[in-house]
Amino acid sequence: MIEFFKKLGNQIKTLWGKWSLVQKLILIGIIVVAVAGIIVLFSVSASPTLAPVIDVPIQDEDARSRAITRINKEGVRTSLSPAGVIMVENAATARRMRSILMSEDLIPTGTDPWAIFDRDRWTITDFERNVNLRRAITQMVTDHIKALEDVDDANVTIVSPERALFGADQNPTTASVIIVPKPGSDIAENRKKVEGIQKILKYAVEGLTDDNIVIANQNGLVLNDFAGLADADRLSLIERGSKMIRSMETQYRALILSSLQQTFNKDRVRDLSIKIDMDLSKKAVNTDEFFPFTIIADNPNTPYDDSQIVSSVTRSQTTSRTAWKGTGYTPEGPAGVEGQTAPAYRDMANMYGEVTQDTEVKNEELNRRSTVEERNPSIDRVTISANIDGTWKVRYGEDKKPIIADDGSLEREYTPVPPEVIRQVQSLIQNAIGYNANRGDSVTVTNIPFDRTEQFQSEDSAYHKQQRTQLLLLILLAGLAALLIIFVIIRLITKEMERKRRLAEEERARREQALRESALMQVDAEGTEAQLSVEERARLELINNVTNMAKQHPDDVAQLIRTWLLEE
């Protein structure tokens, strides 16, 4: 094998030597181009493959920014091509993001929905093109629905009938979707998510309407039957209304309770009850109101009301009159007596005359206001009840010590909350909730003492335990003081006895030393050699050594004596 490589190398050298300069340059150029091609091939194959979310560029910058922001919320990195197409890392992510944008109406206006499902198909006939197109659309819609977070699996069927010559004969396009929700998903109850699937279908299929779309789960329950969800929507509204009432009650309770506990303390104001009655229905109210006319306004400079108010004003007035024409009744005197009436008037006597009546018509103008308003849910009534405890104080005697009752407990005195303070607290709560007496609001503040039996028992136990502890400490301190005194006395007695013993020994040593010195003096005086015992000789020798050392080293001897004295 080695010989083969050596032979091959020799052949290459021989050929290289035979080639001209042009041939060598051509070979080097070919090698450089091949290496560069391999490098480019590896760099292109190693670069990540990006997939477009929407195949067409988005020209509206605001719509494009909203779409990119929504995609980034899902934790997906995006890039923008030079043409303005939003790109993501792979096709699966692109389908999922496309479904989210469709369900939330973030596909820009004017974007061709069919561009999302563009797939090049090489077919022979138009029938095969239509079949392939239908299959591509169905598969793409299925992939989009499966990409949703709440869907585990989906089966989509789209029926696109042949185009009829007349619109009345045209059958509608229909679609049916069966989805398998993921465990724990609320898509069956969430109307918004189901509407999102409907929007995906309408964007994907031309001519598809909401009435021709059926979305069901794996159990056959139709999910987009929104007309049948009216009761569920009503219950949802009631539930949201109840939640809103509880939230308002919690807010009012926290506000008022915090204010009262800061004024008093948490132990005296423990709880507060609040009940809010609300009318959750929406009403359209038509109101006709009549107001009086103010002819002369009240003068604020006068202490009395000098305004002039009338219920109505006269806009127009017509007066009528009555006129009578005729003779009327003519009396002639007593019976049987001829009257004095002239013959010309007698013929016209007792005849009816002619009456003309004119009526008076007055038109009154009223101050009227008509109001049409739509009332939203409002508070009907607010009731609040709060209880504030008084103060308890332990009673003390003249010796500044707590008074103990017959049962062993501490005597306490209760001070109720003054009525003026109760009224002020009630006014505070009324202002906090916007009190309105016309709607029946009620605020009650009471002063009922809390049951503090357990608290008092624990305080009494702690007090008695403290007294027992103090007594025990006094006894211990007294015992320690007695032991200390006894120890001091014994120490003094011991030192006194030791001092007397030391004095006696010193006296005895002094006497013995005096005897020895007298004996030595006698020996020296007589010039004779005294017969001493062994102990006396050793002691005498020791004394001589000590004397010589004291003379030679006086500082060391003084330090030794000082140490002995300190030890004694």
Side-chain angles (χ1 to χ4, degrees):
M1 191 69 179
I2 298 176
E3 296 294 334
F4 172 75
F5 283 111
K6 289 182 178 181
K7 186 177 180 180
L8 180 62
N10 293 330
Q11 291 178 357
I12 292 174
K13 289 180 181 178
T14 303
L15 292 175
W16 183 262
K18 294 180 179 180
W19 285 354
S20 63
L21 180 61
V22 177
Q23 292 175 336
K24 293 179 181 179
L25 292 176
I26 291 172
L27 179 60
I28 294 172
I30 292 172
I31 295 174
V32 170
V33 171
V35 172
I38 293 172
I39 293 174
V40 172
L41 178 63
F42 275 104
S43 62
V44 171
S45 61
S47 62
T49 304
L50 299 178
V53 178
I54 302 175
D55 292 342
V56 295
I58 301 175
Q59 303 300 333
D60 189 356
E61 294 185 0
D62 293 336
R64 185 169 57 205
S65 299
R66 288 194 298 269
I68 293 175
T69 303
R70 182 63 184 88
I71 294 173
N72 292 335
K73 286 183 179 179
E74 298 294 326
V76 178
R77 298 181 60 183
T78 60
S79 61
L80 198 64
S81 67
V85 178
I86 302 174
M87 311 292 288
V88 293
E89 55 187 3
N90 51 50
T93 305
R95 286 195 300 271
R96 185 165 64 89
M97 294 300 103
R98 194 179 302 130
S99 301
I100 293 175
L101 295 180
M102 284 185 177
S103 61
E104 297 185 5
D105 287 334
L106 293 178
I107 299 295
T109 304
T111 303
D112 184 9
W114 289 95
I116 301 174
F117 306 102
D118 278 345
R119 289 188 176 185
D120 293 333
R121 290 291 183 267
W122 297 93
T123 58
I124 299 174
T125 63
D126 292 338
F127 175 77
E128 290 180 350
R129 288 194 183 97
N130 294 332
V131 170
N132 290 336
L133 177 61
R134 190 180 307 164
R135 291 176 58 188
I137 294 173
T138 303
Q139 183 61 38
M140 192 63 71
V141 172
T142 304
D143 294 341
H144 288 168
I145 297 175
K146 287 182 179 180
L148 296 176
E149 184 179 359
D150 297 280
V151 178
D152 195 8
D153 194 7
N155 187 0
V156 180
T157 302
I158 300 174
V159 178
S160 299
E162 297 290 338
R163 290 189 176 273
L165 180 60
F166 300 100
D169 299 333
Q170 179 66 45
N171 293 324
T173 303
T174 60
S176 64
V177 181
I178 298 177
I179 62 174
V180 179
K182 288 185 178 180
S185 173
D186 63 340
I187 191 170
E189 295 83 14
N190 195 322
R191 180 172 180 172
K192 185 177 181 181
K193 294 181 179 180
V194 178
E195 288 178 346
I197 297 177
Q198 280 190 346
K199 292 176 182 178
I200 293 175
L201 291 169
K202 288 192 296 182
Y203 266 101
V205 182
E206 181 184 7
L208 191 60
T209 60
D210 292 340
D211 296 335
N212 297 323
I213 299 175
V214 176
I215 303 174
N217 60 6
Q218 72 276 19
N219 298 323
L221 178 63
V222 178
L223 303 180
N224 63 333
D225 185 12
F226 300 129
L229 295 177
D231 294 337
D233 292 341
R234 181 174 176 274
L235 292 176
S236 179
L237 290 175
I238 294 174
E239 182 179 357
R240 289 199 296 269
S242 302
K243 187 179 296 184
M244 180 180 65
I245 293 174
R246 289 194 299 269
S247 176
M248 293 180 62
E249 291 176 349
T250 303
Q251 182 180 0
Y252 277 128
R253 180 182 179 277
L255 176 64
I256 299 172
L257 190 61
S258 175
S259 177
L260 294 179
Q261 288 180 348
Q262 290 178 2
T263 303
F264 301 96
N265 56 56
K266 293 182 179 180
D267 187 54
R268 293 181 61 187
V269 185
R270 300 181 181 178
D271 200 0
L272 182 140
S273 299
I274 182 169
K275 180 68 171 64
I276 298 179
D277 296 330
M278 292 189 65
D279 184 6
L280 300 177
S281 61
K282 296 179 65 176
K283 299 179 180 178
V285 181
N286 298 331
T287 305
D288 290 336
E289 297 178 283
F290 297 91
F291 299 93
F293 289 92
T294 301
I295 305 301
I296 300 176
D298 182 23
N299 187 2
N301 298 323
T302 58
Y304 53 88
D305 186 6
D306 56 355
S307 61
Q308 183 178 354
I309 300 174
V310 296
S311 59
S312 62
V313 295
T314 303
R315 187 171 184 177
S316 62
Q317 183 176 0
T318 303
T319 303
S320 61
R321 295 181 179 181
T322 302
W324 169 266
K325 293 181 180 180
T327 59
Y329 177 75
T330 303
E332 295 184 355
V337 178
E338 186 176 356
Q340 302 297 322
T341 305
Y345 289 97
R346 188 182 298 129
D347 295 337
M348 300 177 61
N350 299 328
M351 294 181 64
Y352 291 101
E354 181 179 334
V355 178
T356 302
Q357 291 184 347
D358 297 332
T359 59
E360 181 180 357
V361 179
K362 182 184 294 186
N363 294 326
E364 298 288 339
E365 187 70 25
L366 300 177
N367 190 3
R368 178 180 179 180
R369 182 175 66 185
S370 298
T371 305
V372 179
E373 60 179 347
E374 183 177 345
R375 295 182 180 178
N376 292 323
S378 59
I379 297 176
D380 288 343
R381 189 186 183 204
V382 180
T383 57
I384 297 178
S385 62
N387 184 42
I388 304 176
D389 192 11
T391 57
W392 291 89
K393 184 182 295 184
V394 178
R395 299 182 60 187
Y396 291 87
E398 297 179 356
D399 55 352
K400 306 300 182 181
K401 292 184 179 180
I403 301 176
I404 307 300
D406 296 337
D407 57 353
S409 62
L410 300 176
E411 287 191 3
R412 294 176 175 84
E413 182 180 0
Y414 178 74
T415 303
V417 181
E420 179 64 24
V421 176
I422 294 291
R423 288 193 293 270
Q424 292 177 357
V425 172
Q426 186 174 3
S427 177
L428 174 68
I429 297 175
Q430 289 177 352
N431 293 331
I433 65 172
Y435 178 81
N436 187 356
N438 294 328
R439 67 185 182 189
D441 292 353
S442 175
V443 176
T444 304
V445 181
T446 58
N447 176 212
I448 302 175
F450 295 153
D451 184 9
R452 300 179 180 269
T453 304
E454 295 182 359
Q455 177 184 349
F456 292 161
Q457 289 179 355
S458 61
E459 291 177 356
D460 295 342
S461 300
Y463 174 76
H464 291 302
K465 183 178 180 180
Q466 182 183 5
Q467 295 297 317
R468 290 193 297 269
T469 303
Q470 292 179 357
L471 180 60
L472 181 60
L473 289 176
L474 290 176
I475 294 174
L476 290 176
L477 291 176
L480 291 175
L483 290 175
L484 182 61
I485 293 172
I486 293 172
F487 176 77
V488 171
I489 294 173
I490 293 174
R491 182 67 176 171
L492 292 175
I493 294 173
T494 304
K495 285 187 176 182
E496 184 64 23
M497 292 176 64
E498 183 67 23
R499 187 181 65 81
K500 290 180 178 180
R501 184 181 61 79
R502 188 172 58 253
L503 292 175
E505 290 180 354
E506 290 176 356
E507 183 65 23
R508 184 173 63 253
R510 187 181 61 79
R511 288 196 299 268
E512 291 178 354
Q513 182 67 23
L515 291 175
R516 293 190 190 92
E517 290 178 357
S518 62
L520 291 174
M521 291 176 63
Q522 290 178 2
V523 171
D524 292 337
E526 295 177 354
T528 60
E529 184 177 355
Q531 298 294 328
L532 298 177
S533 63
V534 178
E535 294 179 357
E536 290 177 351
R537 289 178 181 175
R539 185 177 184 84
L540 182 60
E541 185 179 358
L542 180 61
I543 291 173
N544 292 331
N545 293 333
V546 170
T547 304
N548 294 330
M549 185 175 290
K551 291 179 180 179
Q552 295 175 2
H553 305 284
D555 294 335
D556 295 338
V557 174
Q559 183 66 28
L560 179 61
I561 294 172
R562 197 179 299 114
T563 303
W564 285 349
L565 293 176
L566 291 175
E567 290 179 354
E568 292 294 333

